[in-house]
Amino acid sequence: MALATLAVIIDPRGMFRMASIDGINAKKFSFFQREHFIKPYQILSFQPRTVLLGNSIANSAFDLQHPALINSHTYSYGIAGAGTYTNWITLLHIQDSLPETAIYFLDFSAFFTANASQSKQSIEQSDLPHRLHYHADGSQNHGRWLQIIKDYALVLLSWDILHDCLETLKRQNEDGWHLQADGSWGGGSSQTGKPQRKRLLYVEKEIFFRPLLSHPSDLPFFEGTNGENTLAYFQSIIRLLQERNVRTILVIPPSHARIYETLFTQQRWNDYRIWKQQLVSINERIAQELGKPPLPLWDFSGYNAYTTETVPQPSDKLSRMQWFYDSVHFKPALGNKILDVIFDNSDKQNFGQPLTSNTVDEQLAHMEQSHLAYANTHPDDIQDILDACVSMAHNANQCITDTQIPKP
Amino acid sequence: MLFNSYEFLLLFLPGVFLIHRLLLLSGASTQSLLAWFCVASSFFYAWWKPHYLLLLYSSLLLNFVCVQVLRQPINTYIRKGTLAAGVAANLGLLAYFKYTGFILTNLQQAGLWHDPVPNIVLPLAISFFTFQQIAYLVTCYRDPQNSCSLLEHIFFITFFPHLIAGPIVYKNELVDQVRGGRLAAATARHWQQGLSLFIIGLSKKLLIGDNIAWLINPLYDHGGPTGSLDAWLGSILFGFQIYFDFSAYSDMALGLAYLFGLRLPINFDSPYQATHYREFWRRWHVTLFRFLRDHVYIPLKHDNHGQLAKILLTLLVFFLSGLWHGAAWTFVAWGLVNGILVIINDKWLLLFDRWLTTVPDWIKTASGRLFVLIAMSLTFMLFRAPDFHTATVFLSHLFSAADITNSQLLATAKTTSWGFLLPSNDITLATALCILCVLLAWLVWCAPNAVRYSLDDYHTPTTTSMPNTRHIAIALGLLAWCSIMAIPASTSFLYFQF
């Protein structure tokens, strides 16, 4: 009883929407790798009018106090590491009360089937599908009551929850990442932790190299060995949002240029090209089928002043980048600029452009040109990437290490 | 459905027990009780994937039909043919679900198969109910009158305590008890002792086995060790994980059966207390080796056979054991390595028999147990490794530098939720893990066998029995509470996948 009472009062996972008391439970630190658990419950009680969909980028990179969002009762519905299958089933979960507006962040890595943790197979083996209102095929999940009982048993009576309560109490004065009531991640501005370059390398290895090297070479990146197709889930999401008249904005977020160099050096650029072309094609095809205008698709990727921000040297253990936490996750300062552009609040400064079938090839060609210039002027970054690939591969043949980059 | 799950502990088990008691109080017949257990066990099995219940019952009916044919006064050839067909059907079913992918993958690698290898889901418990029914067919072949009704057949195969991961029960072991009225004869003492053993098993799984698994899984799944610290600790800790995992399941299975007044055969008899290799294999997965002995070794063995034939038979048994455990060459290699070690150990004992009689017993016991623990841990590493490459990495690092700085085990330990309780210094943490191994070794060597300790019917003159005191009840209650608190982080049993 004592533990259950403590768990309810501290509410380390935000399940009970208890009063937020500074110094006691205002900051929820025990959320990392538990968003599959928390968010399906949290969003239903939050009842947002605007949701941000996607993965950790949706949670960490945007300030929900931005003028475009502040009055929109916005909820960050991203789940760290989520692929398009997770996005699809978690969207179905709220289909009975869809928001008025959705901003869907399309991260390239979310479309890799080889990302084991986000594949359909691994998601189906987890608890997540059992706690959602609907199955992936749209049928109702009548058995979710059992999962709800198990979930509440966990948050009331488990060693995990005891630990979470203690951790929550202990860390209230810290500034680490914590989950806020609106689903976004607060904090994160801490200057401690891995040196900047190491952070970038870690993400590049885990999010890109590991899945890229393990994916069968005879299958496209969006197709899995068990028949799953990440572009198909994306298509289902777009269709649902269009059919239900949700005002939707699709956004390709920026990544640091090192990510694009990863794709070029390992000859995966063609995958990226196909991906963008497919995003545009699917968006326009669905719109045509439904007799509606295509959803606005904004592209903030590419080489620009933000994405080519200088990475501190390995010996510099203290400096932090202005725009990025790591190669994929950018800071709210940059997120605000994205929101400014898509809500047309400020001068675009050549940052971000609408992506359509008329502009996608030109944009890709521009990236290819920019890659040549970047690679020739940033040999350290290229070497980092090659070394990272070799360190992840089981055998050296998996990586291309002899990269001769032509002059632009 | 897992024993270590909320739905089993809070819904299924209490429900089955209550209805069993209600049926008894209402004077229900044995047939009614059997029918109830068949329904409950079917529900238990179907919880995983309902449509595989059809497969289970198809197998049951097929074997029942074979048994009915064997019961008839038919000529020898038809009897043999029926037995052969029944065994072939059972093995064919097992082979299709368990080994098709393995065979086709190997053919593909040899360039003899060019189509995609189908992804065939292995039905739960198929290895167990297949072997049990083969044993039953052989029993009926040898003694046609030694059969049972359809209801009894379904019951003894599907009885949920042993359905998923053993023990492999012979028909007489359960059916005779049922016919003797034991299902209706369970007393409060049975409930108390059965529940006690179940709680002990649950705590072994949730508090020990699962925590070891969490610690060592990243080491095996991410390419293996980089130094001898991880190589040794990873091997020894997996030896403990599989020990406690299997011991836990066996305890729970026997405890659950005892709740209903039934005795299942001991399947796990404190094997790390063995002082030589062959003795270990008499204590580990007792019923599997009993099956292989009764249906492979003994039928193939002749008194005229020389040493070489006996050696080959031993290797065959271990080869089959390895293959039964998994459809991969690492399992086959694991089985064969153990067979070779048994043979070498037998020779060693034979050659040095006279010298060994001069060695004090306590030295023989201590060194024998230490040898068994270390040797088994190293072979279990092969069992656990996802491929030969990882196993080779383990072996190659056994005598390399410790490489504490890059230790995956220490890195994983530091990421635990309760990491603040651990020393931050790497050497201190490594020492703590070594001490943990010593404590676990002390536990497995010195603790009494939980089954013999808990259940009256399994006592021997040399075993101590669990005192029936309030302190023990409180201790078990605390153990149960701690275990239930650990359920959310728990995993399935290792033997679940067979």
Side-chain angles (χ1 to χ4, degrees):
Chain A
M1 284 299 295
L3 175 59
T5 307
L6 182 71
V8 169
I9 293 172
I10 304 295
D11 193 16
R13 299 189 187 184
M15 295 282 289
F16 303 106
R17 288 179 60 84
M18 296 301 288
S20 177
I21 308 166
D22 287 339
I24 302 289
N25 66 358
K27 295 179 182 175
K28 314 284 188 198
F29 291 97
S30 306
F31 73 96
F32 195 59
Q33 294 183 338
R34 293 197 177 105
E35 287 179 307
H36 290 102
F37 185 102
I38 299 169
K39 292 208 165 174
Y41 293 108
Q42 209 179 42
I43 193 171
L44 290 179
S45 57
F46 193 86
Q47 294 286 311
R49 295 200 305 277
T50 299
V51 291
L52 309 186
L53 297 171
N55 55 17
S56 49
I57 293 172
N59 301 335
S60 63
F62 298 94
D63 178 7
L64 300 195
Q65 305 305 308
H66 186 278
L69 300 177
I70 192 167
N71 294 317
S72 302
H73 199 48
T74 306
Y75 184 80
S76 289
Y77 197 25
I79 292 177
T84 54
Y85 182 73
T86 304
N87 294 152
W88 167 236
I89 60 174
T90 50
L91 183 65
L92 278 179
H93 174 62
I94 60 170
Q95 66 169 318
D96 292 337
S97 53
L98 282 172
E100 296 163 7
T101 305
I103 309 175
Y104 186 10
F105 296 96
L106 304 169
D107 183 31
F108 181 44
S109 69
F111 289 76
F112 295 168
T113 56
N115 242 331
S117 63
Q118 67 195 28
S119 70
K120 179 183 174 197
Q121 193 172 5
S122 74
I123 295 294
E124 283 183 340
Q125 288 170 2
S126 73
D127 289 339
L128 175 63
H130 300 290
R131 65 175 60 94
L132 301 178
H133 272 132
Y134 292 90
H135 296 296
D137 61 4
S139 59
Q140 265 205 315
N141 178 12
H142 296 290
R144 69 185 281 264
W145 60 270
L146 185 59
Q147 187 61 44
I148 292 173
I149 291 172
K150 287 159 78 168
D151 287 345
Y152 275 92
L154 186 156
V155 295
L156 289 172
L157 190 68
S158 69
W159 292 113
D160 279 351
I161 209 63
L162 175 61
H163 164 266
D164 289 352
C165 288
L166 295 176
E167 188 188 49
T168 301
L169 284 170
K170 199 175 84 161
R171 296 180 62 188
Q172 286 302 301
N173 293 328
E174 291 181 18
D175 190 34
W177 287 114
H178 56 271
L179 186 68
Q180 305 188 111
D182 57 15
S184 65
W185 296 1
S189 59
S190 168
Q191 297 301 305
T192 59
K194 288 191 176 89
Q196 187 73 80
R197 193 173 275 264
K198 271 198 170 181
R199 285 191 188 193
L200 270 71
L201 278 170
Y202 176 78
V203 164
E204 287 153 13
K205 283 183 184 180
E206 292 303 319
I207 294 182
F208 277 84
F209 282 122
R210 197 181 287 285
L212 279 178
L213 293 173
S214 61
H215 193 71
S217 56
D218 57 341
L219 278 179
F221 68 92
F222 52 84
E223 277 185 24
T225 51
N226 54 356
E228 73 170 300
N229 184 317
T230 54
L231 285 171
Y233 305 135
F234 169 71
Q235 183 173 296
S236 300
I237 292 169
I238 299 303
R239 183 179 293 280
L240 177 66
L241 294 170
Q242 281 274 42
E243 285 174 346
R244 302 287 290 273
N245 298 315
V246 175
R247 181 192 167 211
T248 305
I249 304 171
L250 306 176
V251 178
I252 299 175
S255 299
H256 194 275
R258 287 167 60 107
I259 291 296
Y260 312 127
E261 292 306 312
T262 299
L263 300 172
F264 279 112
T265 59
Q266 299 309 310
Q267 296 184 357
R268 302 296 181 123
W269 176 250
N270 200 46
D271 288 342
Y272 187 80
R273 176 202 305 274
I274 291 169
W275 173 65
K276 271 200 184 170
Q277 289 169 338
Q278 284 294 316
L279 293 183
V280 169
S281 166
I282 290 169
N283 183 29
E284 293 181 354
R285 180 166 42 81
I286 299 288
Q288 192 177 30
E289 283 174 18
L290 298 175
K292 297 182 176 185
L295 300 173
L297 171 54
W298 285 92
D299 185 2
F300 292 89
S301 67
Y303 296 75
N304 52 57
Y306 307 114
T307 61
T308 58
E309 181 182 7
T310 303
V311 180
Q313 290 300 311
S315 53
D316 182 353
K317 298 193 188 324
L318 293 178
S319 298
R320 292 289 180 261
M321 293 164 76
Q322 180 183 3
W323 304 112
F324 284 89
Y325 294 114
D326 55 55
S327 303
V328 168
H329 299 96
F330 48 92
K331 296 185 176 178
L334 188 54
N336 281 346
K337 291 187 184 296
I338 292 172
L339 294 174
D340 287 343
V341 171
I342 64 178
F343 288 103
D344 206 18
N345 282 342
S346 76
D347 177 17
K348 295 177 178 52
Q349 298 184 343
N350 293 323
F351 180 49
Q353 59 171 307
L355 207 62
T356 66
S357 49
N358 295 327
T359 62
V360 62
D361 289 334
E362 182 188 333
Q363 197 273 349
L364 287 165
H366 182 70
M367 280 184 79
E368 287 163 19
Q369 280 297 309
S370 303
H371 143 67
L372 295 176
Y374 185 89
N376 279 295
T377 52
H378 294 77
D380 286 352
D381 283 353
I382 303 302
Q383 193 56 52
D384 254 358
I385 290 161
L386 299 179
D387 292 344
C389 182
V390 169
S391 73
M392 294 301 293
H394 276 303
N395 65 71
N397 292 333
Q398 283 185 285
C399 291
I400 298 166
T401 56
D402 182 20
T403 302
Q404 293 193 345
I405 300 160
K407 300 286 183 197
Chain B
M1 200 184 290
L2 297 178
F3 289 165
N4 53 317
S5 64
Y6 288 127
E7 53 265 32
F8 181 83
L9 292 171
L10 303 179
L11 295 174
F12 181 83
L13 183 59
V16 171
F17 183 78
L18 271 170
I19 293 183
H20 176 241
R21 296 312 302 166
L22 285 172
L23 285 171
L24 285 178
L25 288 170
S26 64
S29 64
T30 302
Q31 300 303 304
S32 304
L33 292 172
L34 286 181
W36 164 240
F37 278 110
C38 290
V39 168
S41 301
S42 300
F43 180 83
F44 177 84
Y45 187 81
W47 186 264
W48 169 65
K49 281 188 197 315
H51 52 278
Y52 277 104
L53 198 58
L54 192 61
L55 175 77
L56 173 63
Y57 272 83
S58 299
S59 171
L60 289 169
L61 288 172
L62 172 73
N63 282 278
F64 183 73
V65 166
C66 288
V67 165
Q68 299 314 302
V69 172
L70 288 171
R71 286 182 63 197
Q72 305 307 315
I74 48 179
N75 73 48
T76 309
Y77 293 110
I78 297 178
R79 288 175 56 74
K80 281 187 177 174
T82 305
L83 175 66
V87 171
N90 281 299
L91 290 178
L93 195 71
L94 185 63
Y96 170 73
F97 282 102
K98 196 162 181 174
Y99 301 109
T100 301
F102 174 59
I103 293 168
L104 292 180
T105 301
N106 281 283
L107 289 176
Q108 201 174 56
Q109 287 168 357
L112 299 172
W113 181 264
H114 303 289
D115 292 334
V117 175
N119 183 22
I120 299 173
V121 175
L122 182 66
L124 213 55
I126 191 170
S127 302
F128 292 94
F129 67 71
T130 305
F131 272 26
Q132 283 179 160
Q133 292 187 110
I134 289 174
Y136 180 39
L137 286 177
V138 170
T139 302
C140 289
Y141 171 79
R142 289 173 180 160
D143 180 5
Q145 301 315 309
N146 193 359
S147 63
C148 56
S149 67
L150 177 60
L151 195 59
E152 288 170 333
H153 181 162
I154 296 174
F155 169 76
F156 100 83
I157 296 295
T158 65
F159 186 43
F160 71 89
H162 76 76
L163 173 63
I164 301 299
I168 297 172
V169 177
Y170 287 173
K171 165 238 162 195
N172 288 347
E173 286 174 322
L174 263 185
V175 173
D176 286 358
Q177 292 184 66
V178 170
R179 290 177 179 171
R182 280 191 70 106
L183 258 186
T187 62
R189 188 116 175 107
H190 286 99
W191 309 339
Q192 173 200 332
Q193 292 182 349
L195 194 59
S196 301
L197 182 58
F198 182 81
I199 290 171
I200 292 171
L202 191 67
S203 62
K204 282 185 194 176
K205 166 68 176 158
L206 293 173
L207 301 181
I208 303 179
D210 279 354
N211 283 306
I212 298 175
W214 170 86
L215 183 63
I216 64 172
N217 279 347
L219 178 65
Y220 282 91
D221 296 340
H222 292 150
T226 56
S228 57
L229 177 75
D230 277 4
W232 280 106
L233 284 181
S235 303
I236 292 172
L237 284 170
F238 180 71
F240 284 126
Q241 181 203 337
I242 194 170
Y243 180 96
F244 282 103
D245 210 75
F246 194 18
S247 170
Y249 186 89
S250 299
D251 289 349
M252 284 195 264
L254 267 65
L256 285 172
Y258 207 69
L259 271 179
F260 304 106
L262 297 175
R263 290 186 49 173
L264 292 179
I266 289 182
N267 204 24
F268 196 83
D269 197 1
S270 304
Y272 280 155
Q273 292 182 5
T275 54
H276 57 84
Y277 229 64
R278 189 174 281 276
E279 186 189 355
F280 175 89
W281 286 107
R282 286 197 200 111
R283 292 167 173 255
W284 183 283
H285 213 325
V286 174
T287 56
L288 171 66
F289 281 89
R290 179 181 69 173
F291 176 91
L292 292 172
R293 181 200 66 201
D294 292 346
H295 300 93
V296 176
Y297 189 88
I298 290 176
L300 292 175
K301 177 174 164 289
H302 291 288
D303 292 335
N304 303 340
H305 280 163
Q307 280 298 308
L308 180 61
K310 287 181 184 166
I311 288 172
L312 289 175
L313 270 180
T314 302
L315 287 177
L316 175 64
V317 164
F318 278 92
F319 167 79
L320 291 173
S321 164
L323 199 58
W324 179 89
H325 278 87
W329 289 117
T330 47
F331 289 108
V332 173
W334 170 79
L336 286 173
V337 163
N338 278 293
I340 291 168
L341 287 174
V342 163
I343 292 164
I344 292 173
N345 195 210
D346 285 349
K347 292 296 172 210
W348 158 270
L349 290 175
L350 215 58
L351 282 170
F352 296 97
D353 182 43
R354 271 201 197 160
W355 174 74
L356 284 170
T357 56
T358 65
V359 176
D361 283 344
W362 71 268
I363 292 181
K364 274 194 292 194
T365 302
S367 57
R369 288 180 176 178
L370 186 63
F371 168 75
V372 164
L373 176 64
I374 292 175
M376 283 314 304
S377 296
L378 292 176
T379 64
F380 275 135
M381 173 269 295
L382 188 59
F383 184 97
R384 173 61 179 86
D387 47 50
F388 280 117
H389 170 77
T390 306
T392 310
V393 170
F394 264 87
L395 290 171
S396 66
H397 281 98
L398 282 176
F399 299 103
S400 66
D403 198 15
I404 292 179
T405 317
N406 294 318
S407 166
Q408 173 73 59
L409 277 180
L410 298 187
T412 306
K414 287 175 189 170
T415 63
T416 174
S417 302
W418 301 94
F420 61 92
L421 294 172
L422 297 174
S424 54
N425 175 270
D426 280 352
I427 294 179
T428 314
L429 184 55
T431 308
L433 287 179
C434 293
I435 293 173
L436 172 67
C437 289
V438 170
L439 289 173
L440 290 172
W442 173 83
L443 190 61
V444 302
W445 285 339
C446 301
N449 180 274
V451 176
R452 300 190 202 286
Y453 181 68
S454 309
L455 307 182
D456 280 343
D457 289 0
Y458 294 82
H459 285 163
T460 65
T462 55
T463 55
T464 52
S465 58
M466 186 186 296
N468 184 14
T469 65
R470 193 191 322 166
H471 298 113
I472 293 291
I474 292 172
L476 285 171
L478 274 174
L479 209 53
W481 178 76
C482 290
S483 303
I484 290 173
M485 292 266 288
I487 283 177
S490 69
T491 61
S492 64
F493 294 91
L494 284 163
Y495 269 81
F496 201 63
Q497 60 191 308
F498 308 137

